[in-house]
Amino acid sequence: MADTAIQTAPVKEKEPLFGKKERKLITDPLNDNNPITVQVLGICSALAVTTQVYPSLVISIAVIFVCAFANLAISLMRNYVPKQVRMIVQLVVIATLVTVVELVLKAFNYVVWKQLSVFIGLIITNCIIMGRLEAFAMANKPWRSFLDGVGNGLGYGAILIIVAVLRELFGKGTLFAGSPIEWAIIGPGALLDTNKAWLSWYANNNLMVLPAAALFVIGVLIWVQRAYNKKLVDVS
Amino acid sequence: MSSTRYILIFTITMCVAVALMLSGMFYATKPAADRNEVVFNKRAILAAVGNYLPKPLASMSDEEVLQVFDNQVKPIAINMQGEELPEVQADQIDMGKERKKPEADRVLPFFIYSAENGDQYYIMSVRGSGLWDEIWGNIALRSDLNTVAGASFDHKAETPGLGAEIKDNPSFPRQFIDRQIYADDKLVAITVRKGGVRNPLHEVDGISGATITGDGVSEMLQRGLGYYQPYLERLRAQGGGTSMNN
């Protein structure tokens, strides 16, 4: 790792920690270049885990962590990774970080680990992460790669949370179910806790908890985003 | 292009480094993970007698769960013939693995919970199939070995909002309370009935949209409680939970 520093040292270009370019690395994936709604990557997990907000939040944090540190690690190694096996190296790095996430969850939040079970492991196959390693970290310096990873993780997480809020609220009438701050908000579930009873006539829409609903919700999100963000509209 | 030699050295070094790091982490987190698993399983068993615990299960810390389990629960392992197996630890029986064995060779966990007022509750574990994957649960009986004192269910992969409601919606397990598993000395267990209960003593309401999970619960109870019959009969012949004294 020290060698990388020596190699990059001769470049005298000034690189502020949070200059305009760096900020753009974080904000771009949130809107103009969102991995889910614009690049349409990582759809599989966005459909599968978004039935409830709490697991989506945990997955989002895990993806931010994996994406940021995988980008950092690959960027540090980028000049040493043999080109023929770079994809395998990227996969090893991702799989290592995902295993770390799994071990930590198992030790510190067992209930959530049980709930997410297979989806944690599936982060390895999340196309966003490998996509960023191949497209960004292999060609950029560590700090920028790290920010790019955080940005893309955030962009992914933001969509996940929006979809999960809509699905859980209208599908189950709750928010953050299973977490320490579980809210029963609308529908018959809210009657169990009379302090929060609200719109108790609402019948849960079972369609919302099925994977198909996530596809509809993401479709609508893409539509809404394009209605507001003219940059994304293909003029040709 | 890198030489084959460089590629080999690079990949081997990387794999060894990663393997060492991960195995180190695995052993560092293993005690915490194992303990979490034990607490998780004990919580599930205590959930069946949730109404008779010193305080609500959700507000109990991990230490309190272990303490209640150690002080107030007597685990007994039994075989399919209803004989106690003192050499087997009941709280370590993996129902998922038992389910794969031939029926006659299975070992079952049985728990006697003594509430603070001296009442005893008998907890049995059952396991079956839902719509997508396995479902399981714990049923607690009162000292008449007939009336249900409480139930808790869990599942591996039922649909959230539909089949998963057997666990997520507390009103589903609550329906089992005061139902009876025997009719005229014959085991009828408890049936999850679609479209409204007809026999309030032995049936509970199903969840709309979760017919197959509900049928799975019915089948699991009928078969799973059946496994405990030889032991329950033995207990009844002894006049209730006398085995608590030994």
Side-chain angles (χ1 to χ4, degrees):
Chain A
M1 316 237 160
D3 298 31
T4 332
I6 293 162
Q7 269 202 350
T8 54
V11 187
K12 282 279 152 60
E13 184 196 333
K14 210 172 171 227
E15 283 191 9
L17 273 188
F18 283 104
K20 204 174 169 215
K21 273 188 181 167
E22 282 75 13
R23 280 203 303 271
K24 217 170 147 43
L25 287 174
I26 300 267
T27 54
D28 236 22
L30 292 180
N31 188 358
D32 292 351
N33 202 7
N34 188 283
I36 295 184
T37 58
V38 179
Q39 298 175 23
V40 198
L41 291 175
I43 289 288
C44 5
S45 58
L47 301 185
V49 299
T50 51
T51 50
Q52 291 178 30
V53 179
Y54 188 47
S56 311
L57 192 67
V58 175
I59 283 279
S60 303
I61 294 169
V63 169
I64 294 171
F65 168 82
V66 173
C67 203
F69 284 94
N71 258 6
L72 179 68
I74 289 293
S75 178
L76 285 170
M77 295 196 290
R78 70 186 188 283
N79 296 323
Y80 306 98
V81 177
K83 292 285 172 273
Q84 297 96 317
V85 293
R86 64 180 199 287
M87 291 247 176
I88 296 165
V89 173
Q90 290 162 5
L91 262 185
V92 170
V93 170
I94 297 170
T96 309
L97 288 167
V98 170
T99 313
V100 167
V101 168
E102 188 150 21
L103 289 173
V104 168
L105 269 187
K106 212 173 162 184
F108 297 107
N109 200 339
Y110 191 82
V111 177
V112 170
W113 174 76
K114 269 265 176 198
Q115 203 176 355
L116 290 171
S117 57
V118 65
F119 294 119
I120 299 280
L122 284 179
I123 295 177
I124 298 174
T125 62
N126 191 322
C127 339
I128 296 169
I129 300 173
M130 190 117 175
R132 290 329 289 170
L133 295 184
E134 184 70 1
F136 198 92
M138 286 301 282
N140 285 279
K141 289 180 189 160
W143 174 241
R144 284 193 180 172
S145 300
F146 182 79
L147 291 180
D148 178 78
V150 173
N152 277 280
L154 284 173
Y156 169 83
I159 300 297
L160 236 64
I161 301 293
I162 295 173
V163 177
V165 165
L166 293 171
R167 288 182 72 190
E168 186 177 344
L169 189 60
F170 295 109
K172 281 191 74 188
T174 58
L175 280 181
F176 295 103
S179 78
I181 51 158
E182 175 165 348
W183 299 337
I185 298 195
I186 56 173
L191 285 177
L192 294 174
D193 190 343
T194 45
N195 295 327
K196 294 174 198 156
W198 190 53
L199 296 180
S200 56
W201 47 265
Y202 178 78
N204 290 336
N205 183 347
N206 286 336
L207 173 68
M208 292 303 277
V209 297
L210 300 175
L215 208 58
F216 298 145
V217 173
I218 291 175
V220 171
L221 280 181
I222 293 178
W223 180 19
V224 170
Q225 191 192 14
R226 280 172 194 237
Y228 283 95
N229 193 337
K230 297 295 175 211
K231 273 188 259 176
L232 296 174
V233 182
D234 194 358
V235 267
S236 60
Chain B
M1 280 289 161
S2 315
S3 70
T4 310
R5 196 180 139 87
Y6 179 74
I7 294 175
L8 271 179
I9 294 171
F10 186 92
T11 46
I12 290 170
T13 316
M14 184 182 68
C15 289
V16 169
V18 163
L20 284 177
M21 192 188 101
L22 285 183
S23 46
M25 240 193 113
F26 176 79
Y27 282 106
T29 56
K30 196 172 188 296
D34 287 350
R35 185 172 172 279
N36 285 341
E37 191 182 349
V38 168
V39 172
F40 186 85
N41 293 337
K42 290 186 172 170
R43 253 181 215 278
I45 292 161
L46 289 182
V49 287
N51 290 346
Y52 309 98
L53 293 173
K55 62 194 242 190
L57 190 59
S59 64
M60 278 165 82
S61 69
D62 290 356
E63 285 72 28
E64 286 170 316
V65 168
L66 293 174
Q67 208 183 348
V68 167
F69 207 90
D70 283 347
N71 297 336
Q72 290 171 263
V73 175
K74 184 186 179 199
I76 302 166
I78 58 170
N79 64 14
M80 298 294 279
Q81 289 72 46
E83 292 152 357
E84 293 188 11
L85 304 168
E87 72 279 5
V88 182
Q89 274 194 293
D91 49 343
Q92 286 178 8
I93 294 174
D94 183 340
M95 291 289 283
K97 280 184 193 154
E98 295 301 321
R99 203 162 164 243
K100 296 196 178 82
K101 291 186 193 168
E103 277 200 358
D105 300 340
R106 289 184 200 175
V107 183
L108 303 166
F110 190 82
F111 303 95
I112 302 174
Y113 172 74
S114 309
E116 281 170 335
N117 62 8
D119 286 351
Q120 291 193 334
Y121 300 94
Y122 303 86
I123 308 170
M124 292 166 287
S125 300
V126 291
R127 200 170 181 103
S129 302
L131 172 60
W132 301 114
D133 211 323
E134 292 195 313
I135 54 175
W136 56 91
N138 292 294
I139 307 291
L141 296 182
R142 292 187 208 282
S143 47
D144 63 356
L145 296 175
N146 181 14
T147 314
V148 176
S152 69
F153 298 100
D154 202 347
H155 61 92
K156 196 164 176 190
E158 298 308 292
T159 318
L162 305 176
E165 293 285 285
I166 60 169
K167 176 195 176 198
D168 295 342
N169 191 340
S171 62
F172 180 73
R174 208 180 290 147
Q175 290 186 81
F176 287 79
I177 296 172
D178 291 333
R179 298 287 194 268
Q180 296 187 346
I181 63 168
Y182 289 98
D184 302 329
D185 287 334
K186 188 175 164 292
L187 179 77
V188 293
I190 294 159
T191 308
V192 179
R193 174 74 72 186
K194 187 183 169 186
V197 168
R198 269 170 253 168
N199 182 349
L201 214 48
H202 306 293
E203 290 179 2
V204 296
D205 270 332
I207 299 161
S208 38
T211 309
I212 296 178
T213 309
D215 289 348
V217 172
S218 305
E219 188 277 338
M220 166 173 87
L221 290 173
Q222 180 71 44
R223 191 173 37 77
L225 294 178
Y227 293 157
Y228 282 95
Q229 286 324 293
Y231 188 67
L232 290 181
E233 268 156 34
R234 220 170 266 227
L235 275 187
R236 216 172 280 119
Q238 287 169 15
T242 44
S243 62
M244 197 65 187
N245 302 328
N246 57 30

